[in-house]
Amino acid sequence: MKDRLTDALYGAAWSSVKKLPEPVAVRLGRTIADAAWKRRGKGVLRLEANYARVVPDASPERLAELSRAGMRSYLRYWMESFRLPSWSRERIEGGFSAKDLHHLTDGLASGKGVILALPHLGNWDLAGAWVTTKLNTPFTTVAERLKPETLYDRFVAYREGLGMEVLPHQGGSAFGTLARRLRAGGLVCLVADRDLSESGVEVKFFGDTARMPAGPAILAQQTGALLLPVTLWYDDSPVMKGRVHAPIDVPETGTRTEKTSVMTQALADAFATGIADHPEDWHMLQRLWLADLDPAKGPADGSGQTAEGAAP
């Protein structure tokens, strides 16, 4: 019953929110965000605890301000996502602006394949729609399996409608398809700041140990594709901003595991730069650092061939 209700609520949101005038949708999102923030539920408390690691010298009042802004940013993501299928081509093209885009366009022009790796910053779906629309470049991504299955199907259909090829998060099967796309000179986009496989790489992240997926680094090593971190953020305008960071090179020496560790740490460092600049736009309402996770899960060795996807 709970699964059916969840699916029904998402379905209703997708069908109704996209019909609202944009200013009304913006106000609705902010109202829902403020109500959720005032309830101080588990998600809000976890978001605040994560912000405490990002901004360790923040006072309780500052953390409360950040978590409120974070919930507003999170609901902006949802309001935009519910409305994206109804946006015109012009609205999508004008809805995002990226710095240092040449890293991506030059990489695509080289024909070697490109991996874009992002944290849960801003609206990665909008950035993806902009790539397929403004740059006229299709890409492949991976989606986390959701319950109920009908909800997962909704997200797949939504993202495919925006021009993305969506693979289920199923370890080696998804990895093989991503590798083939890259060897053919294609584009792969992965949300990669939270490991879902428990076979990720341990990294230092804001002063403590977290685990991030090995997939982006291993894909770059095996296919010769360019690995580019991307960070996103909102400002006071309707246009989301982003930055394509410089490529992460494959180390010349070391075992595959050692190379993967170095590259994933570089990816984490790039993510940390963007998150530190815009912490309120990091929508991490889950536990991330190993110290916050169940100790029984233990550390990972970083050798698994899995790829993180564009999870909601």
Side-chain angles (χ1 to χ4, degrees):
M1 178 63 72
K2 181 180 178 181
D3 286 349
R4 289 199 296 271
L5 177 60
T6 299
D7 181 55
L9 288 173
Y10 275 98
W14 254 304
S15 63
S16 59
V17 172
K18 67 182 180 182
K19 298 176 183 177
L20 297 174
E22 190 158 349
V24 175
V26 170
R27 289 196 298 271
L28 176 61
R30 179 162 291 199
T31 299
I32 295 172
D34 288 349
W37 177 79
K38 289 177 182 177
R39 285 200 299 271
R40 307 288 290 169
K42 290 182 179 179
V44 172
L45 294 177
R46 173 45 48 193
L47 182 67
E48 205 163 284
N50 290 339
Y51 287 161
R53 290 182 178 274
V54 175
V55 191
D57 58 347
S59 66
E61 293 76 17
R62 173 58 177 151
L63 287 176
E65 291 174 358
L66 273 176
S67 64
R68 184 176 188 178
M71 290 304 296
R72 287 182 172 183
S73 176
Y74 186 47
L75 263 294
R76 177 173 172 174
Y77 158 77
W78 279 113
M79 291 297 110
E80 287 178 346
S81 295
F82 289 140
R83 292 173 54 77
L84 263 176
S86 67
W87 280 15
S88 67
R89 182 183 185 91
E90 291 73 23
R91 178 67 181 89
I92 292 173
E93 291 181 353
F96 178 55
S97 176
K99 296 180 179 179
D100 298 326
L101 187 63
H102 66 277
H103 292 308
L104 172 58
T105 54
D106 291 350
L108 292 172
S110 73
K112 295 194 302 182
V114 176
I115 305 159
L116 295 181
L118 307 87
H120 286 79
L121 268 172
N123 189 337
W124 43 96
D125 286 328
L126 172 55
W130 185 88
V131 167
T132 62
T133 304
K134 178 72 172 181
L135 301 185
N136 195 29
T137 303
F139 65 86
T140 304
T141 188
V142 178
E144 178 183 355
R145 281 285 187 186
L146 302 174
K147 292 183 179 180
E149 190 73 15
T150 50
L151 180 58
Y152 170 77
D153 292 340
R154 285 185 189 276
F155 274 100
V156 170
Y158 155 65
R159 289 180 170 128
E160 288 179 342
L162 298 175
M164 311 175 193
E165 179 188 22
V166 183
L167 307 176
H169 185 270
Q170 292 180 331
S173 175
F175 185 94
T177 302
L178 295 174
R180 287 192 294 274
R181 299 292 183 270
L182 291 168
R183 290 191 180 101
L187 176 63
V188 163
C189 299
L190 301 170
V191 179
D193 57 345
R194 183 166 67 96
D195 180 56
L196 297 177
S197 67
E198 299 186 17
S199 62
V201 179
E202 290 187 9
V203 296
K204 286 297 180 182
F205 195 56
F206 291 103
D208 209 342
T209 304
R211 185 187 293 121
M212 293 187 181
I218 297 177
L219 281 167
Q221 291 175 60
Q222 292 195 359
T223 67
L226 204 63
L227 176 56
L228 300 175
V230 176
T231 53
L232 310 171
W233 66 92
Y234 290 124
D235 55 20
D236 293 331
S237 77
V239 181
M240 184 178 69
K241 306 302 191 295
R243 177 188 172 195
V244 182
H245 295 249
I248 294 176
D249 296 327
V250 177
E252 295 182 359
T253 61
T255 65
R256 189 184 73 173
T257 298
E258 291 168 343
K259 292 178 180 179
T260 299
S261 179
V262 170
M263 295 174 72
T264 306
Q265 182 63 61
L267 201 59
D269 292 342
F271 291 168
T273 298
I275 292 168
D277 288 343
H278 306 278
E280 67 279 4
D281 292 322
W282 189 40
H283 309 148
M284 185 54 65
L285 281 73
Q286 298 84 21
R287 298 176 187 272
L288 180 70
W289 283 270
L290 297 190
D292 297 332
L293 295 168
D294 182 354
K297 292 186 177 181
D301 63 9
S303 62
Q305 289 191 0
T306 57
E308 184 76 6

